[in-house]
Amino acid sequence: AQKVTQTQTSISVVEKTTVTMDCVYETRDSSYFLFWYKQTASGEIVFLIRQDSYKKENATVGHYSLNFQKPKSSIGLIITATQIEDSAVYFCAMRGWGGRALIFGTGTTVSVSP
Amino acid sequence: EAAVTQSPRNKVTVTGGNVTLSCRQTNSHNYMYWYRQDTGHGLRLIHYSYGAGNLQIGDVPDGYKATRTTQEDFFLLLELASPSQTSLYFCASSGEDAEQFFGPGTRLTVL
């Protein structure tokens, strides 16, 4: 069975610093897709970034980047130069090669203070 | 970016009541999904569809029916609502090998 685990419940950082959050996954698929989503205080869920397992290069979009360590089944999210509006719950998710469903972790709450 | 809308945004019903949640997407995506979000569980897939008339069972389907009437419209039906179905419900859509885009959510309370 596929599983996604986010062990960090919450992280607090100061504005303009870097925050890193962890995610580990379990799958028997040789190829799969990994995603990070952000849920704002209003409840909106926003897609941030994805990593396809067959790509060796870590994905980067704006001030979001990934630390993909395939041998460790790990996909960390790094947010640089954090802003107050980065305060949110961040979800890691996985989809198997032949599947459609996203399997979500339980989320990490990030609080960015001035 | 896909536009996904949901209605109603909030709904209160009683145990045994009949509820229909609606979702519409306007970017011609083939796939549509219904999730529920509960504290401690994250988002869990209820049902999904890859086109009009198609329905696939998700991970937590018990107590839910769904119907995809057109490429744009996907409905979630609770025919005998129970308090355990009190939750935040999200609809999403996606293309073939792409990320999913979510609607704003519907908060359902079953008294």
Side-chain angles (χ1 to χ4, degrees):
Chain A
Q2 297 178 328
K3 186 179 179 181
V4 175
T5 302
Q6 296 177 254
T7 56
Q8 299 159 298
T9 305
S10 63
I11 303 173
S12 295
V13 297
V14 175
E15 193 178 15
K16 300 180 185 176
T17 62
T18 295
V19 62
T20 301
M21 60 199 89
D22 302 325
C23 174
V24 293
Y25 56 90
E26 297 174 25
T27 181
R28 294 182 180 176
D29 291 348
S30 56
S31 294
Y32 44 88
F33 306 94
L34 300 163
F35 305 86
W36 280 91
Y37 286 83
K38 165 185 176 180
Q39 187 170 29
T40 64
S42 66
E44 182 186 15
I45 298 175
V46 180
F47 164 71
L48 297 177
I49 190 170
R50 72 184 266 177
Q51 179 80 40
D52 299 345
S53 65
Y54 51 85
K55 295 183 178 178
K56 292 186 177 180
E57 194 169 304
N58 289 326
T60 297
V61 176
H63 73 146
Y64 302 107
S65 61
L66 297 178
N67 179 17
F68 181 41
Q69 300 183 58
K70 193 171 183 179
K72 295 184 178 181
S73 296
S74 171
I75 183 74
L77 175 68
I78 303 163
I79 307 175
T80 57
T82 53
Q83 303 165 11
I84 300 296
E85 51 266 35
D86 290 323
S87 296
V89 180
Y90 290 82
F91 290 97
C92 175
M94 176 179 66
R95 178 166 72 82
W97 180 256
R100 301 306 313 178
L102 285 179
I103 307 300
F104 282 84
T106 51
T108 297
T109 300
V110 172
S111 300
V112 182
S113 58
Chain B
E1 187 171 333
V4 182
T5 56
Q6 295 181 234
S7 64
R9 295 295 311 279
N10 288 281
K11 176 74 177 178
V12 179
T13 190
V14 295
T15 299
N18 197 322
V19 177
T20 298
L21 306 184
S22 302
C23 178
R24 166 165 284 199
Q25 56 96 5
T26 58
N27 264 28
S28 302
H29 283 165
N30 287 333
Y31 290 87
M32 296 184 74
Y33 312 81
W34 277 107
Y35 291 89
R36 62 177 289 173
Q37 184 178 31
D38 306 287
T39 303
H41 290 281
L43 287 102
R44 295 178 291 175
L45 182 67
I46 303 170
H47 291 299
Y48 69 99
S49 165
Y50 58 74
N54 175 264
L55 181 65
Q56 302 294 316
I57 295 172
D59 297 325
V60 290
D62 292 347
Y64 301 97
K65 293 184 179 180
T67 181
R68 180 92 174 268
T69 55
T70 65
Q71 186 176 34
E72 295 79 20
D73 299 301
F74 194 30
F75 300 92
L76 186 68
L77 298 83
L78 292 74
E79 294 184 332
L80 288 171
S82 73
S84 64
Q85 294 177 307
T86 292
S87 187
L88 183 55
Y89 291 86
F90 286 97
C91 176
S93 72
S94 75
E96 287 297 325
D97 272 319
E99 51 276 7
Q100 295 179 18
F101 295 96
F102 285 79
T106 295
R107 185 166 296 280
L108 175 66
T109 302
V110 183
L111 301 175

